[in-house]
């Protein structure tokens, strides 16, 4: 983790965290990140949010091209995360799932 992110985390000292991951992130990397977050400050990762946008470099454009990942890939990754970490998993660009994430946060703090 970048040092500035570490200092930010120490300064914020969150009680709970929703970890945002990319669809291409390695499961072991996510596991290590959750362990780090829960150990560096007294907090709990209460959910994982999947960022469904892929950024790819196209040689015929002037920079990055953003495209939404295939829905089947997103749902498969979501199921893998649910099974692996036993926390709620949400897709960031889905309005219903954002509402569920809000409810999960409210439930945790009540």
């Amino acid at each position: 983790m970048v040092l500035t992110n570490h200092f930010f985390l120490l300064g914020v000292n969150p009680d709970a965290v929703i970890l945002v991951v990319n669809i291409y992130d390695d499961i072991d990397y996510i596991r290590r990140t959750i362990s780090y977050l829960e150990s560096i400050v007294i907090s709990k990762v209460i959910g994982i949010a999947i960022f469904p946008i892929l950024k790819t470099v196209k040689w015929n454009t002037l920079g990055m091209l953003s495209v939404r990942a295939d829905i089947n890939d997103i749902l498969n990754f979501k199921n893998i995360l649910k099974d692996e970490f036993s926390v709620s998993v949400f897709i960031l660009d889905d309005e219903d799932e954002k509402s569920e994430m809000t409810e999960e946060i409210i439930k945790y703090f009540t």
Side-chain angles (χ1 to χ4, degrees):
M1 186 169 269
V2 178
L3 198 54
T4 54
N5 293 347
H6 173 80
F7 291 142
F8 176 77
L9 187 62
L10 291 176
V12 172
N13 195 20
D15 295 321
V17 175
I18 301 286
L19 178 63
V20 179
V21 300
N22 294 300
I23 192 166
Y24 51 82
D25 286 341
D26 182 63
I27 297 297
D28 190 50
Y29 172 72
I30 296 169
R31 182 180 297 106
R32 289 189 325 256
T33 302
I34 290 172
S35 294
Y36 167 78
L37 290 169
E38 292 181 342
S39 67
I40 197 67
V41 293
I42 300 171
S43 68
K44 172 90 174 118
V45 174
I46 61 172
I48 298 174
I50 300 172
F51 185 70
I53 306 300
L54 300 173
K55 295 196 182 280
T56 57
V57 175
K58 294 290 185 181
W59 292 105
N60 58 350
T61 62
L62 292 176
M64 302 291 265
L65 177 65
S66 297
V67 293
R68 188 174 197 279
D70 180 66
I71 188 64
N72 293 323
D73 293 338
I74 296 169
L75 294 175
N76 287 338
F77 190 57
K78 180 179 178 178
N79 290 331
I80 290 169
L81 292 174
K82 276 184 180 179
D83 292 342
E84 187 71 31
F85 299 107
S86 301
V87 295
S88 299
V89 180
F90 312 97
I91 302 170
L92 275 183
D93 68 347
D94 184 302
E95 290 302 318
D96 292 333
E97 295 212 2
K98 283 197 277 188
S99 294
E100 290 174 27
M101 183 169 47
T102 302
E103 292 300 320
E104 184 75 23
I105 294 166
I106 292 169
K107 184 173 76 174
Y108 179 79
F109 284 107
T110 55

